[in-house]
Amino acid sequence: MKHFFKLFGSLMADQFIGCISGFMLVLCVAAFFKNSLMGFSLAFIISFGFYAYVTYNSAFKSGFHDSHRAIKDENYSGYLYMGAAAGALSAAPLMILYIIYKALNAGILGVYYMVANMYWTWPMINIFPNHQPLVMPLVAIPIILIPWLGYIAGYKNFLLTDYFMKLYQKFNNQNNQ
């Protein structure tokens, strides 16, 4: 259980870091791109890519250091949901804030919600301005999905770089023959 809450704390810190990266990009987009679609798209790619990288790595490390993995427990299947559960728990404060915002129809809570997940909501609402009610609750998907995949990959010690290196070597050997 301690392992689970350590992952949860790490994911909450990753969300905070993602917000900081989103805030830094607000100034750059306003200064360089004058709030254009290209600027918002670039801001989304950079800030969300940074968030996904940091979150995936923290979940990967947590899955890699799972105690069940260390003792080679073949019957253990809890790793399949550990990352998703920790991601859902870390998304709970945002979802509670969103539910209160929708229930009370208080505009200031919507601003707090957008600030709380700046890496995702701010560029997406500006890319799709007419779809704000749809974009806002969709923030829970990457918060749950990225740690889930990272934890499973860490538990299984599946490195994407190793897979791509094997694919490159296979392709390179076929071309040299």
Side-chain angles (χ1 to χ4, degrees):
M1 200 63 163
K2 179 178 96 172
H3 185 70
F4 176 78
F5 285 112
K6 186 176 177 182
L7 176 60
F8 161 69
S10 176
L11 294 176
M12 289 296 290
D14 293 342
Q15 286 180 22
F16 181 71
I17 290 170
C19 287
I20 291 172
S21 72
F23 278 122
M24 291 187 304
L25 284 171
V26 168
L27 299 174
C28 294
V29 167
F32 294 121
F33 297 102
K34 306 290 186 232
N35 293 332
S36 68
L37 182 61
M38 184 177 127
F40 290 123
S41 300
L42 188 63
F44 173 73
I45 290 168
I46 292 171
S47 66
F48 189 73
F50 176 73
Y51 169 76
Y53 174 75
V54 170
T55 302
Y56 183 86
N57 278 340
S58 64
F60 183 91
K61 288 177 186 174
S62 183
F64 186 76
H65 296 293
D66 191 346
S67 59
H68 290 281
R69 182 182 183 277
I71 60 173
K72 305 284 188 212
D73 188 1
E74 297 294 328
N75 297 326
Y76 179 69
S77 64
Y79 73 92
L80 291 173
Y81 308 108
M82 185 75 73
L89 190 59
S90 69
L94 286 175
M95 290 298 103
I96 291 171
L97 184 62
Y98 179 73
I99 290 169
I100 294 171
Y101 160 68
K102 288 308 255 183
L104 298 178
N105 202 13
I108 191 69
L109 288 178
V111 172
Y112 289 146
Y113 180 79
M114 285 187 263
V115 167
N117 50 37
M118 181 64 78
Y119 58 91
W120 166 273
T121 308
W122 173 74
M124 289 301 285
I125 285 177
N126 288 306
I127 291 171
F128 304 108
N130 296 330
H131 300 286
Q132 182 176 353
L134 179 64
V135 168
M136 289 178 76
L138 288 179
V139 75
I141 293 172
I143 293 176
I144 296 170
L145 188 66
I146 295 169
W148 179 51
L149 296 174
Y151 195 88
I152 291 172
Y155 190 87
K156 292 290 189 179
N157 197 17
F158 176 76
L159 299 172
L160 287 176
T161 54
D162 290 347
Y163 177 73
F164 288 129
M165 186 57 84
K166 288 177 186 176
L167 191 63
Y168 171 75
Q169 289 172 349
K170 182 179 178 180
F171 181 73
N172 197 19
N173 287 339
Q174 288 178 354
N175 285 341
N176 290 335
Q177 291 177 358

